[in-house]
Amino acid sequence: MSIRNLDALFHPSSIALIGASNRPGSVGAVLAQNLYSSGFEGPILTVNPHERAIRSSLNYHSVAELPLAPDLAIIATPPKSVPGLVHELGERGCRAAVVITAGFGEGGHAEGQALEQAVLDAARPYLMRIVGPNCLGILAPHRGINASFAHLTPPPGELAFVTQSGAVATAILDWAKTRDIGFSHVVSLGAMSDVDFGDMLDYLALDPKTRAILLYVEAITDVRKFLSAARTASRNKPVVVVKAGRSAAGAKAALSHTGALAGSDAVYDAAFRRAGMLRVDSLDELFQAAGTLATGIRIQGDRLVILTNGGGIGVLAADALEGLNGQLAELSEPAMARLDEVLPQAWSRGNPLDILGDAPGERYAKALEALHDAGDVNALLVINCPTAVADRMEAARAVVESLGPRHPPTLTCWLGDASPTAARRLFAEHRIPTYETPEQAIRAFWHLHQYWRSQQALMATPPAITERVSIDRARAEAVIEAVRAEGRRVLTEPEAAEVLAAYDIPTVPARRVATPEEAGEAARALGLPAALKIVSRDISHKSDMGGVQLNLASPEAVTQAAEDMLAAIRDKAPEARLDGFNVQPMIRRPGAHELILGIAEDPVFGPILMFGQGGTAVEVIGDRVIGLPPLNPLLARDMIESTRVSRLLHGYRDRPAVDLEALTLALVKLSQLVGDLASVAELDINPLLADADGVMALDARIVIRPAGEARPPMAIRPYPQQLEETIETRGGTRYRLRPIRPEDEAALVEMLRHSSADDVRLRFFAAIRRFDHAFAARLTQIDYDREMAFVALPPDGAEIAGVVRLSADPDKERAEFAIMVRSDMKGTGLGYRLMQRVLDYAREMGVREVFADILRVNHAMRKMAEELGFTTEARDDDAETVTVSLTL
C-alpha cells in the first residue's frame, strides 16, 4: 500500500479520539486538549466508556454510539483493545487511525508482535491506514490538526518533519518554537506497522504546502518502496535525512527500540546518496540544511569567496572550508583589478577578502559590485564583525541592495548576539540565508554543494556501454551449477576466475594441476617466474594456511614449493580436502595499484557492491565505499572518486594515471553479474591490479547460496532485460522493442527534433522548441518499479521510432499512459502496436485502470483509444482536453 487514504490523515472531515480522558496529565487528556485547541474546523468526537463529557463536549461510550463515521481515529487505549477498535472503526467507514499506544512488539516480544499483526488484519478489509503503534501522533498545522500528545502546537510552515521517534519530534518542536519555524506536517511513525517513510515521501512529494522534507530515520522497512519514493521526492524538493545508529552500539539500540533490522551505516549512506537525498549528522544540522535549502538558493560547485571585515574571522571560515575539502575560489585578474580600485590599500589582496574593520556599507557594496563575473566562483560568504566605527545595519542593507542576478549565490554571517538581530531579520525577509557563526555558514555552503552533487548524480546521463562489454552469462551459470552439483558453496580460484572471465573481467592465465610434478611442468609452459596456489574446496583464505607461494624462479622451485605446501597444509588443516594446485605466471606490473572489488548482501538493502584499496591489509586500511546495484558508468565512477585511493589513481609524480575507464567498466560488469547471477552470495576480487594498461584480477573468491535459497531482492529494480522483444505492426513492419534506458536521452531528443511542431504539441500540450537535459532526463531516467517506457527501434538502427510510457500511482491502482510516434513514421500501425504492448504490461503489473488526458483536437489518438475499448469523458464542452480511460 502507499498513499491510499492518506488524505484521511491530513485532510479529515471529522476526527474521533478513542481513549479521551479528563484525568490531568494523562495521554488521553493531552490528546483531547491538543485536538480541541488547534483550530480544526470539523467535528471532534471522543470515546470513553466512563465519562459523560470530555472538555465540556459530549462524550460517547463506544465506537458504536458515534453519530457519524470519522475519517480519522486517534487511539490511546490498552494494546489488547486496539484490534477490536480498529475493526469497529473500519466497519463504520473510518479510513485512517493513529495508534498512540505502545506494547506492540518493541524489543521483539512475541505477544506484542501478534497484537500488531491483529491490528493490521483488522484494518485490511477496509483499506484503513494505520500510523504507529507506539507513536507521538501527527500534526498538520495548515488544517488545524494536532493529533498528538506533544507539548505545543507549531505554526503553519513549509517544512515537513517525519520521524520514527516521538521524543525527537517533541525536541524538534521545542527547538523550532524558539526560532519561529513552522511546519506543513509533523509525523511520528513509531513502529511503522503500515504507514512508513516511503508512504510519507510519496505523499509529501506532491504536497503544495511542503517546500522541503526532513527525516529522522532509525531503520528502513520496505527498502525498494523507500528508494522509489525518495528518488521521486528528491526530484521535486529537497529531502534532508539524519540517520541514527551510526555506531555498532547505536545500531543495536535502534534495533531494540523499533523492532526493525538496522543495516550497515555505510549502506544507508550509499542508499541516501543514490536517492538524491542530503544526509547530515545531527538534528541541528538537519534544520540548518533545511533552512538553507528552503530559501531557494542553489550552487553548482565547491569554490567559495569569503568577504569579511575581520581578517581573523575570515581565516577561521577558510579553515572550516578546508576541513570539509572545499576550495577557496581563485579570483580572475579583472576582478582583482576592480577590487584594487574600490578598496583601501591595506585590503588583503586575496581570498578571503578582508575589507578591513572600518568598512561601511558602501565598501561592502563596491566590493560586491567588483565581484560580478569574478571567474570560477560558485558562491559568496559575506561576514560582518561588530566594530564601534561602522554601522552593521547599513552594511546589511548594502548587501541586500547590491545582490542581483549576476552575483553568485550569497550566504551571510553577522556575528554577535543582540546587535545583528535586525540585520538577520532583513536577510530573512529577502530569503538570503544567514548564520550566527562562520562555521555554521561554511557547513551550510557544504550542504548546498553536497545537495547539488546528489542532484547531478540523480539526473546525470550515463554513456552507452553495450558495445564495449561481452558477457557470457550461460558460461558463468554452468560453472556455478557444476559446483552446486558437488554440494559445494565456495568456488575454487580457477572456477572463480572462469566466472569473472565470463563477465569480461580480465584474469591471469592459469593452469590447474593435480601433483607437484605437474605444477613444475605447468610453470615451464606458462612462463617464469611463477605463482603457485593451493586448490581446496575447504580453504577460503589460502595465504593464511601457507597455500600461496610467489616469485618461483624455476620449475624445480615450483615442484618443491608444492610439496612443502602440501606438508604445511596437512599440518594446519588436516581435514581439508586438497584438489590440486593452480599455477600462474607472475604478473609484472610495477607501479600498479592493488584494489578490491566485492559483492555482499546487507540484511536491509540486499545485494551491495564494494570498491576500495586492496591487498593483504585491506581490513586495516579501511578505505572502502559501498554502492547499490545496478550501476552505470557515472555511478561507478562516483564510487571510485569517493575513496581516498582515488587521488592516487589519477597519477602523481612519475606514476601515470590508471585507466579509469577500464576500472569503471569492471565495476559496471560486476554490477551486471549481481543482476544476472542471483546464486552468488559473496564475491571478492583482491587484489585487482590497476594501472595505465587496464585492470586484472589476480585472485578471486566466490560463495554461492544453497540450492532453493532465495536471494534478497535488489533495493533498486534493475533494467528489465527480459522485456526486450521484437514486435510486428499490422502492416508487417518489424521493430525492436525494449524498455527505455538513461543513455537513450540523445536518441529521444533526436526523435522529438524530427517530429513536427504540431505532433510535439499534441504529446506535451505545449509548443516546445528546446529539449534540454532536465526535460529529456525526466523522460529517460525512470523508476522501473513504478513506471515503464518502451521504445521502438528499427531492426538495424539506433534511432527511436516511437515511445509509449505508463506511469502508475504509488498504489499501482491507476496508471497514466502517453504515446508518441515520430512524425515521418506515423500511419504504419506502430502506435497501435505500442498501445497494445503497454496495456499488456499494465495487466501484468496488476493496474486496474489506465487513463490519459488528450487534447480534444487529437482526433487520431481519440480514434485509436476508441478502437482499443477506452471510454471518453469531457469535463465540459469548452475544455481543451478529454479523458480516456480503460478498466482492465
Side-chain angles (χ1 to χ4, degrees):
M1 210 174 279
S2 190
I3 61 172
R4 182 189 294 130
N5 285 336
L6 290 191
D7 61 307
L9 282 171
F10 305 113
H11 296 272
S13 59
S14 56
I15 301 175
L17 173 57
I18 320 296
S21 175
N22 287 319
R23 182 165 56 85
S26 66
V27 171
V30 175
L31 284 165
Q33 178 183 341
N34 285 345
L35 277 170
Y36 280 115
S37 62
S38 299
F40 180 64
E41 295 180 354
I44 298 173
L45 314 170
T46 62
V47 175
N48 184 313
H50 310 296
E51 298 284 358
R52 183 165 178 265
I54 299 289
R55 298 185 64 83
S56 300
S57 292
L58 181 64
N59 176 68
Y60 301 91
H61 291 164
S62 67
V63 170
E65 288 186 16
L66 293 176
L68 54 86
D71 273 347
L72 172 63
I74 315 300
I75 301 176
T77 63
K80 290 184 179 180
S81 68
V82 176
L85 288 168
V86 168
H87 174 72
E88 282 190 81
L89 287 162
E91 281 196 321
R92 292 293 308 274
C94 182
R95 296 191 295 133
V98 178
V99 180
I100 305 293
T101 312
F104 287 86
E106 299 86 355
H109 299 297
E111 183 181 357
Q113 290 175 339
L115 270 177
E116 182 178 315
Q117 187 58 50
V119 171
L120 296 178
D121 292 342
R124 186 174 293 111
Y126 311 104
L127 301 179
M128 189 175 170
R129 304 309 306 273
I130 304 295
V131 173
N134 187 19
C135 69
L136 178 80
I138 65 170
L139 299 92
H142 288 284
R143 296 284 295 177
I145 296 173
N146 183 348
S148 78
F149 60 96
H151 60 303
L152 52 84
T153 300
E158 297 178 323
L159 298 179
F161 181 54
V162 184
T163 171
Q164 279 175 271
S165 167
V168 169
T170 55
I172 288 301
L173 290 173
D174 207 63
W175 183 93
K177 180 177 174 60
T178 62
R179 292 158 175 79
D180 196 29
I181 294 175
F183 294 89
S184 63
H185 303 78
V186 177
V187 182
S188 167
L189 294 174
M192 298 195 300
S193 63
D194 173 24
V195 177
D196 60 14
F197 283 110
D199 300 328
M200 289 308 307
L201 285 167
D202 273 326
Y203 181 84
L204 295 170
L206 302 175
D207 179 58
K209 296 188 182 299
T210 299
R211 283 179 60 92
I213 303 169
L214 316 181
L215 306 179
Y216 169 81
V217 174
E218 291 174 0
I220 302 297
T221 49
D222 188 335
V223 294
R224 182 170 283 189
K225 181 175 72 172
F226 172 79
L227 286 174
S228 286
R231 293 163 77 191
T232 299
S234 293
R235 290 176 187 265
N236 294 328
K237 57 193 70 172
V239 180
V240 189
V241 57
V242 62
K243 165 71 171 67
R246 276 188 178 273
S247 64
K252 185 176 179 181
L255 173 64
S256 63
H257 182 58
T258 64
L261 286 171
S264 162
D265 188 70
V267 185
Y268 274 96
D269 215 34
F272 295 147
R273 188 170 63 247
R274 183 69 174 270
M277 306 161 81
L278 173 62
R279 182 177 186 177
V280 296
D281 294 332
S282 66
L283 292 175
D284 185 64
E285 265 195 74
L286 182 75
F287 273 83
Q288 291 285 357
T292 302
L293 291 166
T295 64
I297 185 174
R298 298 291 185 266
I299 67 171
Q300 297 184 3
D302 64 350
R303 293 174 175 80
L304 179 70
V305 169
I306 300 170
L307 174 65
T308 177
N309 68 339
I313 295 297
V315 172
L316 285 175
D319 287 346
L321 182 66
E322 184 177 346
L324 294 171
N325 293 320
Q327 301 185 56
L328 288 172
E330 292 287 338
L331 296 177
S332 65
E333 290 186 9
M336 291 292 290
R338 289 194 296 270
L339 288 165
D340 266 333
E341 292 175 4
V342 299
L343 295 178
Q345 187 174 3
W347 81 282
S348 61
R349 286 186 170 77
N351 185 12
L353 278 67
D354 179 7
I355 61 174
L356 309 181
D358 64 345
E362 182 183 9
R363 193 178 300 168
Y364 273 94
K366 288 182 177 179
L368 289 169
E369 179 67 27
L371 289 172
H372 280 177
D373 307 318
D376 194 5
V377 176
N378 301 120
L380 299 175
L381 170 58
V382 183
I383 300 175
N384 181 272
C385 308
T387 68
V389 294
D391 187 328
R392 311 193 71 192
M393 195 62 194
E394 176 190 279
R397 282 193 290 266
V399 170
V400 170
E401 293 167 3
S402 298
L403 295 181
R406 292 175 57 202
H407 272 101
T410 302
L411 302 87
T412 61
C413 173
W414 257 231
L415 280 82
D417 190 10
S419 62
T421 301
R424 291 172 185 160
R425 188 179 300 114
L426 177 68
F427 292 135
E429 290 171 357
H430 288 82
R431 299 183 72 84
I432 299 171
T434 189
Y435 307 91
E436 297 178 2
T437 67
E439 291 80 9
Q440 285 182 355
I442 293 297
R443 176 65 65 178
F445 166 73
W446 200 245
H447 289 156
L448 289 167
H449 167 65
Q450 294 293 94
Y451 179 69
W452 171 74
R453 279 195 64 189
S454 67
Q455 291 297 297
Q456 290 292 106
L458 195 63
M459 298 289 285
T461 302
I465 61 166
T466 50
E467 291 77 19
R468 289 176 282 164
V469 178
S470 175
I471 288 175
D472 188 348
R473 177 176 174 175
R475 175 184 171 191
E477 288 176 334
V479 173
I480 290 171
E481 287 307 311
V483 171
R484 182 171 280 154
E486 294 180 11
R488 291 188 285 127
R489 290 192 58 204
V490 181
L491 275 64
T492 63
E493 185 190 355
E495 291 165 341
E498 188 170 354
V499 171
L500 296 183
Y503 275 78
D504 201 26
I505 296 174
T507 57
V508 183
R511 185 172 296 178
R512 181 174 169 178
V513 297
T515 66
E517 293 73 18
E518 290 177 359
E521 290 304 313
R524 189 192 308 277
L526 287 170
L528 297 164
L532 179 72
K533 302 174 185 178
I534 197 70
V535 176
S536 170
R537 68 194 74 183
D538 300 319
I539 298 175
S540 180
H541 297 288
K542 298 178 289 294
S543 57
D544 295 345
M545 295 291 171
V548 177
Q549 290 288 332
L550 306 177
N551 290 308
L552 300 170
S554 67
E556 294 74 20
V558 173
T559 300
Q560 184 61 51
E563 292 173 349
D564 295 343
M565 193 177 287
L566 288 175
I569 292 175
R570 288 193 185 106
D571 181 55
K572 292 182 179 180
E575 296 180 359
R577 290 168 290 183
L578 304 182
D579 303 311
F581 304 91
N582 199 41
V583 183
Q584 298 170 309
M586 286 296 299
I587 302 299
R588 299 293 189 185
R589 295 177 78 159
H593 296 270
E594 290 192 346
L595 305 172
I596 183 170
L597 273 64
I599 297 170
E601 287 173 7
D602 181 77
V604 176
F605 290 91
I608 58 174
L609 293 162
M610 183 265 289
F611 168 81
Q613 189 168 354
T616 55
V618 61
E619 288 86 3
V620 178
I621 296 169
D623 180 21
R624 301 188 296 272
V625 65
I626 299 297
L628 297 182
L631 294 182
N632 60 43
L634 292 178
L635 293 168
R637 180 63 67 89
D638 185 64
M639 280 183 66
I640 294 168
E641 298 297 342
S642 298
T643 58
R644 296 190 301 275
V645 74
S646 68
R647 304 175 195 174
L648 304 179
L649 303 182
H650 287 281
Y652 60 96
R653 294 185 178 175
D654 60 344
R655 199 167 180 178
V658 162
D659 183 348
L660 287 172
E661 183 176 6
L663 181 56
T664 300
L665 278 176
L667 262 174
V668 172
K669 294 168 189 174
L670 204 61
S671 171
Q672 181 68 41
L673 187 152
V674 173
D676 289 348
L677 306 180
S679 54
V680 173
E682 298 175 31
L683 184 153
D684 282 336
I685 302 174
N686 184 26
L688 179 83
L689 291 187
D691 58 17
D693 296 323
V695 299
M696 178 172 288
L698 291 194
D699 201 354
R701 173 178 179 268
I702 296 178
V703 179
I704 59 174
R705 70 186 73 258
E709 180 183 292
R711 184 183 72 181
M714 294 170 65
I716 300 171
R717 186 182 178 189
Y719 172 78
Q721 189 171 6
Q722 72 277 9
L723 297 179
E724 295 181 353
E725 60 178 310
T726 298
I727 60 171
E728 186 172 325
T729 67
R730 288 179 292 188
T733 306
R734 295 168 68 84
Y735 292 92
R736 290 180 294 128
L737 188 75
R738 62 166 172 79
I740 203 165
R741 297 191 289 239
E743 55 264 36
D744 288 327
E745 180 179 321
L748 182 70
V749 169
E750 280 302 303
M751 171 195 159
L752 295 174
R753 285 176 179 160
H754 281 84
S755 296
S756 69
D758 192 49
D759 281 346
V760 171
R761 183 182 66 84
L762 291 175
R763 165 62 180 87
F764 296 104
F765 293 21
I768 302 175
R769 294 182 175 84
R770 182 171 173 266
F771 308 105
D772 61 14
H773 165 65
F775 172 82
R778 283 195 297 271
L779 299 177
T780 54
Q781 298 188 26
I782 66 172
D783 183 345
Y784 299 120
D785 202 47
R786 58 174 63 180
E787 57 186 321
M788 180 54 66
F790 291 106
V791 294
L793 305 98
D796 300 319
E799 69 274 15
I800 294 176
V803 185
V804 64
R805 67 181 60 244
L806 192 74
S807 300
D809 62 28
D811 304 315
K812 297 179 182 174
E813 289 284 310
R814 302 179 76 233
E816 183 176 11
F817 77 86
I819 183 170
M820 185 175 181
V821 174
R822 210 172 85 174
S823 296
D824 59 348
M825 297 185 179
K826 292 172 68 175
T828 63
L830 176 59
Y832 192 90
R833 187 67 186 85
L834 287 174
M835 280 298 303
Q836 287 179 316
R837 182 62 187 95
V838 86
L839 290 175
D840 288 342
Y841 181 77
R843 291 185 180 94
E844 294 162 13
M845 286 179 65
V847 172
R848 295 187 180 183
E849 182 186 15
V850 173
F851 72 97
D853 291 328
I854 300 173
L855 285 175
R856 188 182 290 271
V857 297
N858 193 347
H859 301 294
M861 185 66 239
R862 293 177 63 182
K863 180 181 178 182
M864 182 168 65
E866 184 179 340
E867 290 180 16
L868 288 164
F870 283 77
T871 59
T872 302
E873 180 182 352
R875 294 185 182 88
D876 58 67
D877 293 338
D878 297 327
E880 290 187 355
T881 63
V882 296
T883 300
V884 296
S885 61
L886 177 67
T887 300
L888 301 178

